[in-house]
Amino acid sequence: MRYFTDEHEWIDVDGDVATVGITDYAQGQLGDIVFVELPAVGTAIQQGKDAAVVESVKAASDVYAPIDGEVTETNPALEEDPSLVNSAPEGEGWFFKMTIGNAAQLDALMDEAGYKAFIDSL
Amino acid sequence: MSDHDTDDQIEDLPLDALPLDAWHRGRGARMVPFAGYEMPIQYEGIVAEHNWTRENAGLFDVSHMGQLLLSGPDCDAAVEAVLPIDLSTLKLGQQRYSLLLDEDGGVLDDLMISRWPDALYLVVNGATKWDDIGTLREALPDDITLNHLDEHALLALQGPKAADALARHVPGVEALTFMKFGKFKLAGHDVTIARAGYTGEDGFEISLPAAPAAEVADLLCAEPEVKPIGLGARDSLRLEAGLPLYGHDMSPETSPIEAGLVFGINKRRRTEGGFHGADRIIREINEGTARKWVGLCIEGRLPAREGAEVFSGSDRIGTVTSGGFSPTLGAPIAMAYVASQYAATGTALEVEVRGKRLAATVSPTPFVPHRYFRGS
């Protein structure tokens, strides 16, 4: 099941592991991405707080943790090719995997239809 | 997700629309506030637009910039009492870089000045034009007329194929060389074209009345070499070219000598003085400055942006004033003021970004060679 935040992160839940990235809408707003700064494995992250930084040609932008948890893995492909975030933001361009520290927080996020309605309203 | 910086956003003032506002929107531009106007930051994407300009030709709308005409009795002498320029060597048809300084030698603006048949024509920065008009009006005698061409647009056509594309509409324009201008007809309209620009590439700046600007922009963009290019690529292009951006790389707190702009102080004026800030400028030319503006090549891929601090070991020795990712080089580059003992090419330094130290080397500028047309 995939959830979305109003800050344009997505979180895909599979059992007790979640994968996090930014949405296609977000990469389109950022433009050409040249660097992604990922949290270290083992970092405890908190919902709504800084988790990663994405640098486009234009500017640096914060990426927030969609829920509480601990980072268990980061995407090694982004170091070599940060433009994966542009070309495959909701697939190969994922940022990190994390534990689900508070499952109740997921319920407050949007589903795919809800997120689509949200960006259509922007 | 949210942006860190909101550069150049003047949030308190209502935004004006430029003559080509609807034209930009019609071509899919993303508009942002800049210098008091809504301006196109990008169309298809900054890197694609940047590379297109380096390889073909890009059309930039720079109508936010101030176009001023100065005329009147003893106009040259009156202007020389303000600007550090030698107007005796500025012939009809020539354009030159100059600086508007305050009485302490700080930079109020940088500008282009050219000699028209009966006037001096100045192009000043958009964000500073109203202050510049005030400064000039106050400094110049009452019998010097200052005419703000606020019904004019300014279009820049930049890139190695700019001359081919423009010459199809303006026969003879290809004979202009770098920093020369002429009056021409373009689609039946009277225009002034200078061979100059802000990308490091060959190119032209076309001054024309606002009314036909959209028609001319359409005409030029119908050429196969030409695409519209936004402010985002304008910034990355000028950074690669090592060209300073007012308000970032220069300000009232910096002197042009620190910024390496000594060529903006014409030779005769370096000994004669008699312009705003002359005491400090001449002293700095003779004695040097405590800091210098240098290029930095940064290892890795993480860009260091304006405000990042520069270190030598544990000593903080400077600050980045412009920085980003160079599409041409595929690496981060930056410009910084550093203490002069660290300004030599090849000096190994570090730049701090979000607590991380990045290795940086003082590098010659331009980062990407200029390709101005100086004659065949």
Side-chain angles (χ1 to χ4, degrees):
Chain A
M1 173 74 186
R2 188 166 288 209
Y3 303 87
F4 297 84
T5 73
D6 58 7
E7 295 282 355
H8 310 289
E9 293 91 14
W10 56 264
I11 177 166
D12 196 273
V13 177
D14 183 12
D16 54 4
V17 175
T19 306
V20 175
I22 66 169
T23 65
D24 187 52
Y25 174 85
Q27 72 77 23
Q29 290 293 308
L30 291 170
D32 306 288
I33 287 160
V34 298
F35 187 84
V36 182
E37 188 173 301
L38 295 167
V41 169
T43 307
I45 54 178
Q46 268 187 300
Q47 185 179 39
K49 299 283 169 58
D50 301 353
V53 181
V54 50
E55 297 265 2
S56 69
V57 172
K58 181 165 65 88
S61 304
D62 290 320
V63 175
Y64 303 118
I67 59 169
D68 297 349
E70 186 179 308
V71 177
T72 57
E73 189 182 342
T74 58
N75 185 355
L78 293 188
E79 195 172 336
E80 193 62 30
D81 184 9
S83 71
L84 281 173
V85 180
N86 292 121
S87 58
E90 300 187 30
E92 281 177 80
W94 61 276
F95 279 34
F96 56 85
K97 295 181 191 289
M98 66 184 295
T99 63
I100 298 163
N102 182 352
Q105 290 173 335
L106 293 168
D107 298 336
L109 302 179
M110 288 175 270
D111 63 9
E112 191 148 10
Y115 179 69
K116 189 177 178 309
F118 171 65
I119 55 173
D120 286 346
S121 74
L122 294 179
Chain B
M1 198 199 79
S2 70
D3 279 3
H4 281 173
D5 48 17
T6 51
D7 267 2
D8 301 306
Q9 296 195 5
I10 301 173
E11 291 170 14
D12 299 341
L13 296 171
L15 296 169
D16 282 332
L18 290 168
L20 289 177
D21 189 273
W23 188 88
H24 296 306
R25 292 173 198 273
R27 288 184 173 252
R30 186 180 304 162
M31 306 295 279
V32 298
F34 183 86
Y37 297 95
E38 291 261 322
M39 293 194 61
I41 183 86
Q42 64 171 68
Y43 302 83
E44 57 176 313
I46 293 173
V47 172
E49 292 168 33
H50 179 111
N51 292 336
W52 182 267
T53 306
R54 287 266 181 258
E55 291 160 16
N56 299 284
L59 186 73
F60 301 75
D61 178 17
V62 289
S63 302
H64 63 301
M65 301 187 83
Q67 302 182 63
L68 312 179
L69 281 178
L70 297 176
S71 60
D74 298 322
C75 188
D76 281 16
V79 171
E80 282 196 359
V82 183
L83 305 181
I85 193 168
D86 181 357
L87 287 169
S88 71
T89 56
L90 184 73
K91 309 290 186 221
L92 182 65
Q94 293 181 342
Q95 175 169 291
R96 191 176 296 166
Y97 180 82
S98 192
L99 295 149
L100 184 60
L101 304 177
D102 65 23
E103 295 291 351
D104 300 319
V107 183
L108 295 175
D109 202 2
D110 63 341
L111 56 98
M112 287 291 181
I113 183 165
S114 52
R115 185 178 299 284
W116 285 17
D118 45 10
L120 294 168
Y121 166 74
L122 278 64
V123 179
V124 303
N125 279 299
T128 47
K129 64 185 175 187
W130 301 111
D131 286 342
D132 291 356
I133 289 168
T135 302
L136 289 168
R137 194 59 281 170
E138 190 166 322
L140 294 169
D142 289 345
D143 55 0
I144 299 294
T145 302
L146 191 163
N147 183 7
H148 180 200
L149 302 178
D150 55 358
E151 298 291 315
H152 271 56
L154 191 64
L155 301 176
L157 186 66
Q158 300 281 300
K161 297 180 181 170
D164 288 347
L166 188 58
R168 270 174 234 138
H169 299 282
V170 188
V173 79
E174 68 278 3
L176 286 177
T177 54
F178 183 58
M179 297 295 268
K180 302 288 196 300
F181 79 90
K183 302 218 173 203
F184 297 91
K185 287 273 188 194
L186 173 49
H189 306 288
D190 289 318
V191 301
T192 304
I193 301 177
R195 197 150 194 171
Y198 193 48
T199 59
E201 296 295 331
D202 182 23
F204 303 86
E205 290 186 339
I206 304 161
S207 172
L208 73 170
E215 177 199 344
V216 167
D218 273 335
L219 199 67
L220 294 174
C221 285
E223 293 300 327
E225 300 94 339
V226 181
K227 287 185 180 182
I229 307 295
L231 284 180
R234 181 169 157 85
D235 192 51
S236 55
L237 288 159
R238 71 91 195 168
L239 179 61
E240 287 184 347
L243 299 171
L245 174 60
Y246 188 77
H248 300 261
D249 304 308
M250 294 171 287
S251 74
E253 278 70 54
T254 56
S255 87
I257 309 307
E258 294 175 320
L261 301 172
V262 67
F263 63 89
I265 319 295
N266 289 172
K267 202 170 170 190
R268 170 169 67 83
R269 312 305 304 280
R270 295 177 202 172
T271 48
E272 280 182 11
F275 55 88
H276 286 187
D279 290 352
R280 174 188 179 181
I281 299 300
I282 291 169
R283 186 178 70 245
E284 290 187 350
I285 289 172
N286 293 327
E287 298 175 11
T289 57
R291 57 178 190 165
K292 287 183 177 169
W293 196 57
V294 298
L296 297 175
C297 280
I298 294 167
E299 256 178 48
R301 289 186 61 92
L302 175 57
R305 302 186 191 274
E306 182 176 4
E309 295 186 328
V310 184
F311 290 84
S312 173
S314 57
D315 297 333
R316 190 173 73 80
I317 57 98
T319 308
V320 169
T321 53
S322 283
F325 192 84
S326 160
T328 304
L329 303 176
I333 54 173
M335 300 296 303
Y337 283 101
V338 299
S340 294
Q341 64 265 41
Y342 302 100
T345 294
T347 305
L349 299 171
E350 289 181 318
V351 180
E352 193 169 290
V353 178
R354 295 191 293 274
K356 267 203 289 285
R357 292 286 186 91
L358 312 175
T361 308
V362 175
S363 305
T365 58
F367 296 100
V368 172
H370 294 163
R371 298 196 286 181
Y372 301 136
F373 178 73
R374 297 178 191 276
S376 47

